[in-house]
Amino acid sequence: METKYIFITGGVASSLGKGIISASLGKLLQARGYQITIQKFDPYINIDPGTLNPYEHGECYVTADGMETDLDLGHYERFTGIETTRDNSVTTGRIYLSVIERERRGDYLGKTIQVVPHITDEIKRRILLNATKRPLDFVITEIGGTIGDIESQPFLEAIRQLRWELGPTRALNVHLTYVPYLAAAGELKTKPTQTSVKQLQGLGIQPEVLVLRTEHTLNDELRAKVAHFCNVGVEAVIQSQDLPSIYEVPVNMQHQGLDAICLKKMGIEPAPAPELGPWRNFLERRKQASEVIQIGLVGKYDLQDAYKSIIESLAHAGTYNGYKVKAVFVNSEQITHQNVAEKLAGLAGFVICPGFGTRGIEGKIIAAEYGRTHDIPTFGICLGMQMMVVEFARNVLGYKDANSSEMDASTPHNVIDMMEEQKNITQMGGTMRLGAYECELVKGSRVREAYGEISLIKERHRHRYEFNNAYLKEFEAKGMKCAGINPAANLVEIVEIPEQRWYIGTQFHPEYSSTVLHPHPLFMSFVKACTESKSSKS
Ligand code: GLN
């Protein structure tokens, strides 16, 4: 089958959940046996979100091939289990960069370079790129931003052209809008949806399917009204009502026939809807897991999206362990020796979160010490692992001034140091150790057991600093062991204290590869330890 392209646009407001709708549609088409990929095109000018502050843009998600991307790619992978690549995340910055580089090389042979056609052609080339590399039945492209934004215009123009070039059976637009409820009038309002569709039509795009985000159920009359005003059939007006979990969205979308209507519009008579057995099984377990377990997130960002993948990984592992995990944010900037017991009270365990820079790190070190000395399950991820190492050096090895050279370049005890290959790098963007690297698990270690006794794993990285091997012997002699090592570069990737109940730090980010159907083994093992420590306490 020739590749078909589905474009997901959004109107009225941002944060309506385009990423979840894209991921859900991908999941449903995948369940029907199609080869799919989901990609995100973001209209901002940064080359990638790697240099963006999480307050601006939430977590930076990292693909296995080492691209720093938008957090929506995390949803795509968690829903479908299909790995994304650097071709699945494109920004205006990347588009312009390649056009400008080509212009400098003289590739345009003296032409005037313009938004149309040069920028739009580059957008089109990138939209089609994934399907030139592997066989794909459907490419779902989510366009970031909201209709009406100045910066999304070239993307919409590119979609318009592609729809014309590919024809109606190979290109389709699904438009997501919002239907607000006015409490004072007691009414749901469809006008913003109508306006947003008119805006799209003004740009030459007729949406074939509308997904209406709403907090209240839309009755048939309202759906018919939207259909009538927006030139779509009433069967193509789908509602996306708030649900208790994002993972219920695919089932809800299937129930309303989102995938079936997309197929029909593209000339495919849909077979009966697939069962989604394992997915429903996950939802069922989720419902049954009623006992709540509180797990702390020790970090400096007090916003959900900054630690999105960690929160989701905990939720997956919680479900399969039979618990509902409540992730509790603990601001590391506010943790002191005096209040740490109080700050961490009631937690069955905690994650010391990744991060950059000095803000909040002393709190992470204090939390690491508290976890170690009170035998509380503690999971350090990237910077979190590095702070576990610094804490151990200070309080067990006795190097009071031990630090990471990221935080104190002149420390005489740089137990975490900059990697050799990072030392001459001056550019910030895209220059870290990024993407999946191999790691050999040490025989007899806790982590090896957690991974089911396999010897070689691959996990994703995003960092510049690394455990300083000059100290390894001293750490091991005092009980903090290297449990995973990169075979090519001899880098310590995992540390653990085997005497503790669960005290493990990973230089890599396991949270990037936990999915709904395949929860990550380290999170599974960590949450299990948390549930046991909880029951042993009570
Ligand atoms: N700042 C640390 C480093 O660069 C850790 C990065 C992270 O936690 N992702 O090594």
Side-chain angles (χ1 to χ4, degrees):
M1 174 171 126
E2 270 192 309
T3 313
K4 296 181 188 289
Y5 295 86
I6 300 177
F7 302 104
I8 315 273
T9 54
V12 182
S14 56
S15 306
L16 295 181
K18 268 192 313 241
I20 302 298
I21 294 295
S22 305
S24 300
L25 181 55
K27 168 80 206 161
L28 295 177
L29 292 173
Q30 176 196 29
R32 288 178 179 272
Y34 294 111
Q35 297 292 329
I36 64 126
T37 195
I38 315 175
Q39 54 191 16
K40 173 109 192 245
F41 279 52
D42 269 308
Y44 53 77
I45 295 173
N46 304 61
I47 298 293
D48 61 49
T51 52
L52 281 170
N53 183 329
Y55 283 119
E56 295 274 324
H57 207 69
E59 164 190 282
C60 173
Y61 186 76
V62 179
T63 59
D65 69 346
M67 181 82 193
E68 296 174 279
T69 73
D70 186 83
L71 57 74
D72 276 322
L73 272 79
H75 292 308
Y76 307 163
E77 291 204 12
R78 287 189 284 273
F79 276 56
T80 64
I82 301 171
E83 278 190 358
T84 51
T85 71
R86 56 184 53 250
D87 297 329
N88 292 59
S89 175
V90 176
T91 65
T92 290
R94 267 180 102 189
I95 301 279
Y96 270 78
L97 187 65
S98 44
V99 170
I100 290 169
E101 278 172 356
R102 232 176 283 156
E103 185 273 337
R104 291 289 82 183
R105 279 203 305 268
D107 289 2
Y108 292 109
L109 306 174
K111 287 273 180 225
T112 308
I113 311 305
Q114 295 179 298
V115 174
V116 182
H118 300 98
I119 294 299
T120 47
D121 279 354
E122 177 61 12
I123 295 173
K124 281 161 45 179
R125 187 184 74 79
R126 298 254 186 185
I127 288 175
L128 303 174
L129 189 60
N130 259 308
T132 65
K133 297 191 175 174
R134 62 211 143 102
L136 287 167
D137 300 316
F138 287 93
V139 174
I140 297 173
T141 306
E142 177 188 348
I143 306 292
T146 310
I147 302 304
D149 295 346
I150 291 177
E151 54 260 55
S152 50
Q153 296 233 356
F155 293 92
L156 298 170
E157 171 59 13
I159 293 178
R160 185 195 66 75
Q161 292 182 17
L162 274 178
R163 282 160 50 97
W164 178 251
E165 287 161 23
L166 296 168
T169 61
R170 291 193 58 206
L172 177 96
N173 171 246
V174 176
H175 188 51
L176 176 66
T177 72
Y178 180 52
V179 179
Y181 178 74
L182 289 189
E187 275 181 51
L188 284 155
K189 291 294 183 189
T190 63
K191 185 73 90 195
T193 295
Q194 295 175 41
T195 311
S196 152
V197 171
K198 288 239 154 58
Q199 266 178 305
L200 257 187
Q201 289 166 336
L203 297 167
I205 299 174
Q206 169 63 52
E208 282 91 354
V209 179
L210 292 176
V211 178
L212 309 183
R213 183 70 198 274
T214 165
E215 280 124 325
H216 293 77
T217 311
L218 301 172
N219 61 26
D220 288 349
E221 199 184 325
L222 268 182
R223 288 176 53 229
K225 184 174 166 191
V226 170
H228 181 67
F229 279 113
C230 299
N231 287 355
V232 295
V234 71
E235 76 289 354
V237 180
I238 309 277
Q239 58 177 311
S240 170
Q241 208 174 333
D242 286 0
L243 292 167
S245 153
I246 53 171
Y247 298 123
E248 290 186 31
V249 178
V251 173
N252 180 269
M253 288 298 117
Q254 187 189 54
H255 182 67
Q256 293 189 66
L258 174 65
D259 53 335
I261 190 78
C262 289
L263 289 172
K264 265 192 217 153
K265 297 266 177 199
M266 300 178 100
I268 298 175
E269 197 40 53
E275 293 282 331
L276 302 178
W279 191 273
R280 284 182 198 274
N281 173 38
F282 170 81
L283 293 181
E284 196 44 47
R285 280 173 171 236
R286 206 178 168 277
K287 252 178 237 149
Q288 270 160 21
S290 52
E291 195 175 338
V292 176
I293 181 172
Q294 302 206 67
I295 295 184
L297 296 180
V298 177
K300 66 177 166 180
Y301 297 112
D302 54 353
L303 83 167
Q304 282 258 337
D305 276 0
Y307 306 116
K308 189 88 200 153
S309 294
I310 296 178
I311 294 174
E312 297 306 323
S313 302
L314 289 171
H316 304 156
T319 298
Y320 288 105
N321 272 293
Y323 282 79
K324 199 157 254 130
V325 172
K326 182 164 186 271
V328 180
F329 178 72
V330 185
N331 190 337
S332 59
E333 281 182 278
Q334 287 163 12
I335 298 178
T336 62
H337 282 290
Q338 288 70 41
N339 69 14
V340 61
E342 182 197 331
K343 292 274 180 198
L344 302 175
L347 301 176
F350 56 90
V351 177
I352 309 181
C353 292
F356 293 84
T358 52
R359 190 161 65 84
I361 60 142
E362 290 304 325
K364 286 185 175 173
I365 294 172
I366 295 168
E369 179 183 4
Y370 190 82
R372 182 177 58 77
T373 52
H374 292 75
D375 203 10
I376 301 169
T378 307
F379 194 175
I381 299 180
C382 208
L383 181 64
M385 169 268 199
Q386 297 176 354
M387 292 307 110
M388 280 175 153
V389 168
V390 169
E391 187 279 319
F392 198 86
R394 288 184 186 178
N395 299 325
V396 180
L397 305 186
Y399 300 129
K400 289 292 165 215
D401 50 7
N403 216 330
S404 158
S405 45
E406 177 182 7
M407 315 305 166
D408 177 3
S410 62
T411 173
H413 295 107
N414 51 345
V415 289
I416 301 292
D417 197 15
M418 188 176 269
M419 287 181 279
E420 230 14 80
E421 70 263 29
Q422 291 285 333
K423 287 191 174 154
N424 297 320
I425 290 174
T426 51
Q427 292 246 54
M428 289 298 267
T431 55
M432 281 183 271
R433 182 172 182 232
L434 288 167
Y437 286 87
E438 285 188 337
C439 172
E440 253 167 33
L441 300 176
V442 172
K443 264 208 183 111
S445 65
R446 277 293 189 79
V447 283
R448 184 147 159 169
E449 187 193 329
Y451 275 96
E453 293 301 333
I454 50 173
S455 55
L456 193 67
I457 54 163
K458 254 186 149 180
E459 293 283 3
R460 302 182 203 183
H461 291 249
R462 181 176 186 242
H463 57 109
R464 275 183 222 290
Y465 296 83
E466 192 69 48
F467 186 95
N468 183 346
N469 276 330
Y471 291 92
L472 182 56
K473 277 210 177 85
E474 280 182 75
F475 274 85
E476 296 221 309
K478 294 279 179 166
M480 183 177 263
K481 308 277 185 194
C482 164
I485 200 144
N486 172 273
N490 202 32
L491 298 168
V492 173
E493 310 284 39
I494 308 172
V495 295
E496 64 178 39
I497 302 182
E499 278 113 71
Q500 303 271 314
R501 208 193 294 265
W502 209 100
Y503 198 86
I504 294 175
T506 63
Q507 187 57 79
F508 52 77
H509 292 263
E511 72 274 22
Y512 293 144
S513 48
S514 181
T515 71
V516 169
L517 299 186
H518 297 283
H520 193 283
L522 277 184
F523 280 95
M524 284 296 286
S525 155
F526 171 61
V527 171
K528 183 158 182 285
C530 290
T531 65
E532 288 163 359
S533 90
K534 189 176 169 259
S535 44
S536 70
K537 256 189 237 149
S538 55

